[in-house]
Amino acid sequence: AVTPGRIVWSNDLIARNLTEGLDENATARKLFEFVQSFPYQVTHFEDNDGTELYDYERGDCRHKREALYHLLQERGFEVRKVAVLFDWADLPIPKEILKLKKKSGTKAFHSAMEVKIAGKWLYVDPTWNPELAKLGFPVTEHWDAKSPTKEISNGTTVKHQHDSYQTIGELYEEHDIPWPLISETIAFNNKLNPCLAKQRAKK
């Protein structure tokens, strides 16, 4: 059932309206920039067709990955999902916020994807919105749709395609990483979101 007053988004319509008449390369770039433009904020996630990003007008890596995945798929691109091991400590996040992950540790898994363009698989990550570049986040500016985008962090990452594991828990076990404590995750997110929002607001 549809909630009264809720907008029902169409990935097909959004994708066609944004890219009608564009070639493959320009289409990929346009859809990437559209999703990337939404502000990064850790937000409730229902794992649907990516349209939560438009409901909230913001999102984290999960919302952005799902949105771009479905938009590209609607335009005929071959796409696949990727989980990426990274370390929050390799990003310009204040140490007092990183310390909130005392027992969980700062390593985590990130939602990203790959798209096939001109017969070549490319890593594509629209997570960090352009405004975060001034803070030192690895923002991909003016993606050419011919080479991979920047990684999620400035440090070492390890990629796993979704068909290589059953659950994200298996990846935590494989890399011997403690499962994140809910209390620490909430505390971390509650500090990270306003920190980034405050920085975005600065001119």
Side-chain angles (χ1 to χ4, degrees):
V2 177
T3 304
R6 181 182 182 276
I7 296 174
V8 179
W9 303 100
S10 166
N11 281 313
D12 174 55
L13 188 60
I14 292 171
R16 283 192 288 113
N17 284 342
L18 286 171
T19 65
E20 197 69 47
L22 299 182
D23 62 20
E24 180 185 64
N25 183 277
T27 293
R29 284 188 284 113
K30 184 69 174 181
L31 295 178
F32 170 82
E33 290 170 358
F34 171 68
V35 172
Q36 184 191 40
S37 70
F38 285 82
Y40 176 87
Q41 182 173 318
V42 183
T43 306
H44 178 69
F45 179 64
E46 291 288 351
D47 192 19
N48 58 12
D49 60 359
T51 58
E52 278 183 320
L53 184 67
Y54 318 132
D55 287 330
Y56 299 139
E57 297 184 341
R58 62 187 184 279
D60 54 50
C61 64
R62 300 166 298 176
H63 306 84
K64 291 194 169 192
R65 193 270 300 281
E66 292 303 315
L68 185 57
Y69 180 93
H70 287 281
L71 290 175
L72 286 169
Q73 199 170 53
E74 288 290 349
R75 297 311 281 164
F77 287 88
E78 196 172 344
V79 288
R80 61 191 184 194
K81 298 179 182 181
V82 177
V84 184
L85 174 65
F86 78 108
D87 196 327
W88 285 104
D90 291 327
L91 288 161
I93 296 174
K95 290 183 179 179
E96 59 267 24
I97 296 180
L98 291 173
K99 287 180 180 178
L100 294 172
K101 286 183 165 289
K102 186 176 181 179
K103 294 183 178 179
S104 303
T106 54
K107 290 185 178 181
F109 282 93
H110 162 67
S111 298
M113 61 172 288
E114 295 177 332
V115 58
K116 184 178 282 189
I117 300 176
K120 179 182 178 183
W121 284 105
L122 300 176
Y123 175 78
V124 182
D125 194 338
T127 300
W128 306 126
N129 50 287
E131 294 83 357
L132 293 177
K134 62 186 178 183
L135 302 181
F137 282 78
V139 175
T140 297
E141 300 181 89
H142 311 298
W143 182 50
D144 61 8
K146 297 178 181 178
S147 54
T149 64
K150 290 184 179 180
E151 300 285 342
I152 186 60
S153 76
N154 299 311
T156 301
T157 62
V158 180
K159 299 181 181 68
H160 293 268
Q161 290 184 19
H162 269 222
D163 60 2
S164 68
Y165 62 93
Q166 294 298 315
T167 67
I168 197 72
E170 289 183 355
L171 294 183
Y172 276 92
E173 291 181 8
E174 179 180 335
H175 291 275
D176 196 25
I177 301 171
W179 187 258
L181 295 176
I182 294 177
S183 59
E184 290 189 354
T185 298
I186 292 174
F188 178 82
N189 294 342
N190 286 344
K191 289 293 185 180
L192 179 63
N193 283 341
C195 174
L196 296 184
K198 181 179 180 181
Q199 293 298 325
R200 280 197 302 267
K202 291 182 179 180
K203 301 297 182 181

